[in-house]
Amino acid sequence: MGFIQGLLDAVLAIGAAILWCLTALLDFVLWLGPALWFFVTWLPARLLGWSDEKLPVGQTASRGFDYIRDGADTFLDGFSDWTEAFIDLLLALMMRPPGVNWLQGRGFEPYFGAWNETTHPFVIVALVTVLAYALHRKLGIAALVAVGFLFVLDQGYWEETAESLSLVLSACVVCMAIGVPVGIAAAHRPRLYAWMRPVLDLMQTLPTFVYLIPAIVFFGIGMVPGLVATVIFVIPAPIRLTQLGIVSTPQSLLEAADAFGATPRQKLWKVELPSALPQIMTGLNQTIMLSLSMVVIAALVGADGLGVPVVRALNTVDTAKGFESGLVIVIVAIILDRLLRVDRK
C-alpha cells in the first residue's frame, strides 16, 4: 500500500512539474520583453558613463532561484524524497544483510545469526572480487580489489565508503540515463551539439562550489544537494564521450547497414552503439571517477561519506585522520578505475 501511495505521489509530482513548466514558460515570455527593454536603455547609459548601475545579474539569478523554489516545491520535494530513498536502498545493500527493519536500519535484526552487520562487508568484498574476475578474467585485478577493500575495513572506514559509493552510484545512474540519450541526439544533430558545447564547457569550468548554492536553495542540506551538484559537474563527460563514439562509427559500417536496408533504429542499436561501446564505457568510468572526486565537496553541504572525515581533519588540523581518509579515497578510486576500465584489444 505504501508503494502504491508513493507511486501515486510521484505521478502527481510529475504532473505538477509539467503544469509548472508551462506556467514558467509563459512567465518567462512576459518577463523577456521588459528585460530586453531595460537592457536596451541601460547599455548606452552605461557605456557613456551616464549611469553607475551595473547589470543586475546576481539579483536576477536570485529571483530566478526563488521563483523555481516557490513554484516547483511539489516536484522538488518529491524528487528529494525518491532520491533519498534510492540512496538509502543502495546504502542498505552495502551495510546490512536481509533482516527485520532492513531498509531503516533502526531496530535491525538479521535473519541469519552468522550473517550480520559485522560479517556483511566481507560478503560484499567477496562479491565485488568475483565480479572483478568475471569482468576481466585476471587474478591480479581481483586480488587488487579484495586487498583494497580489506584495507578499508581494517582502517574502519567501511560505513563512510558505503555512503560515498551510494552517492557515486546514484549519480552514475542519473548521469548515464541522461547523458547517453543526449549524446546520441547530439551525434545525430550537429547543430544541436554546436548549441550544447558552450553549455557543457560552462558546466565543466564553473567552480564546483557554485553548484552547491542552488542545490542548497532547492533541497536544503544532506545527500540530495550533494547528488545534484555532482550530477551537474559530471554529466558533460558521458554526453561528450557518447557523442564522440557515435560520430566515430566507421563510414563503411554505416554504408553496409544502408545497403542491407537497415532502418535508422536498427543502425543505432546494431551498428552505432556496438561501435561506440568502448567510448560509452569510458564515459561510465569517467562518470564514476569524477563523482568520487566530489565526495569532499558534497560533505560541505551535509552529505555523508568519505568527505566528512576529510573536512573534520581539515577543521581540526588532524594530520593522521586526514591522511587515512585521503588514502582510503585514493584506494577506492583505484579499485573502481580498475574494475570498470575497458581493455582495448
Side-chain angles (χ1 to χ4, degrees):
M1 191 68 180
F3 175 78
I4 296 177
Q5 182 63 40
L7 187 61
L8 180 60
D9 292 341
V11 173
L12 293 177
I14 294 174
I18 295 175
L19 180 61
W20 177 83
C21 287
L22 296 175
T23 304
L25 181 61
L26 177 60
D27 290 341
F28 176 76
V29 172
L30 296 177
W31 168 84
L32 186 60
L36 291 175
W37 175 251
F38 167 80
F39 181 78
V40 169
T41 56
W42 168 85
L43 184 59
R46 183 63 167 166
L47 292 176
L48 296 175
W50 296 344
S51 173
D52 294 332
E53 183 182 7
K54 67 178 182 179
L55 197 64
V57 176
Q59 297 90 326
T60 303
S62 178
R63 288 196 295 267
F65 290 146
D66 292 340
Y67 178 87
I68 296 175
R69 180 191 60 193
D70 297 336
D73 56 344
T74 302
F75 172 75
L76 294 176
D77 290 343
F79 176 81
S80 178
D81 293 340
W82 277 76
T83 302
E84 287 184 355
F86 183 69
I87 294 175
D88 290 342
L89 175 63
L90 294 177
L91 182 60
L93 288 172
M94 287 184 282
M95 290 296 298
R96 293 180 289 276
V100 180
N101 296 322
W102 171 75
L103 186 60
Q104 291 80 8
R106 293 184 296 273
F108 171 74
E109 296 180 3
Y111 290 144
F112 309 100
W115 188 10
N116 50 43
E117 290 178 286
T118 303
T119 57
H120 183 67
F122 294 96
V123 175
I124 298 298
V125 171
L127 291 176
V128 177
T129 302
V130 172
L131 176 63
Y133 181 77
L135 290 175
H136 297 277
R137 299 295 178 179
K138 294 180 180 179
L139 288 175
I141 294 179
L144 174 66
V145 171
V147 171
F149 276 129
L150 289 176
F151 175 79
V152 172
L153 284 168
D154 174 71
Q155 295 297 304
Y157 284 93
W158 179 257
E159 182 176 356
E160 291 83 358
T161 301
E163 291 167 344
S164 291
L165 289 178
S166 299
L167 181 63
V168 169
L169 292 177
S170 301
C172 180
V173 169
V174 175
C175 289
M176 296 305 291
I178 298 175
V180 172
V182 172
I184 293 173
H188 290 161
R189 298 168 179 82
R191 185 173 298 179
L192 173 63
Y193 186 64
W195 282 93
M196 289 172 54
R197 189 182 298 116
V199 178
L200 298 176
D201 293 339
L202 181 66
M203 294 168 69
Q204 289 186 306
T205 54
L206 269 179
T208 51
F209 288 97
V210 176
Y211 303 142
L212 300 179
I213 300 173
I216 295 173
V217 171
F218 296 150
F219 302 105
I221 61 174
M223 296 290 277
V224 177
L227 174 65
V228 172
T230 301
V231 168
I232 296 174
F233 174 69
V234 172
I235 201 169
I239 292 176
R240 289 182 185 276
L241 287 167
T242 301
Q243 188 269 346
L244 176 64
I246 296 296
V247 299
S248 300
T249 304
Q251 191 65 29
S252 57
L253 293 179
L254 297 176
E255 292 175 354
D258 290 332
F260 281 99
T263 64
R265 179 176 297 181
Q266 290 173 329
K267 284 200 299 183
L268 172 64
W269 286 100
K270 298 184 178 181
V271 178
E272 293 176 332
L273 285 179
S275 175
L277 185 60
Q279 284 79 10
I280 294 175
M281 291 303 297
T282 302
L284 175 62
N285 183 289
Q286 290 300 303
T287 297
I288 293 180
M289 292 297 101
L290 292 172
S291 299
L292 190 60
S293 71
M294 289 286 290
V295 295
V296 177
I297 296 176
L300 298 177
V301 292
D304 298 325
L306 290 169
V308 174
V310 174
V311 173
R312 289 176 180 170
L314 181 63
N315 292 333
T316 59
V317 198
D318 189 339
T319 307
K321 182 178 286 293
F323 186 81
E324 283 179 0
S325 53
L327 183 60
V328 168
I329 293 174
V330 172
I331 289 175
V332 172
I334 293 174
I335 291 172
L336 294 178
D337 178 67
R338 296 300 184 271
L339 187 64
L340 297 171
R341 177 174 293 182
V342 178
D343 296 326
R344 292 177 173 83
K345 299 180 180 180

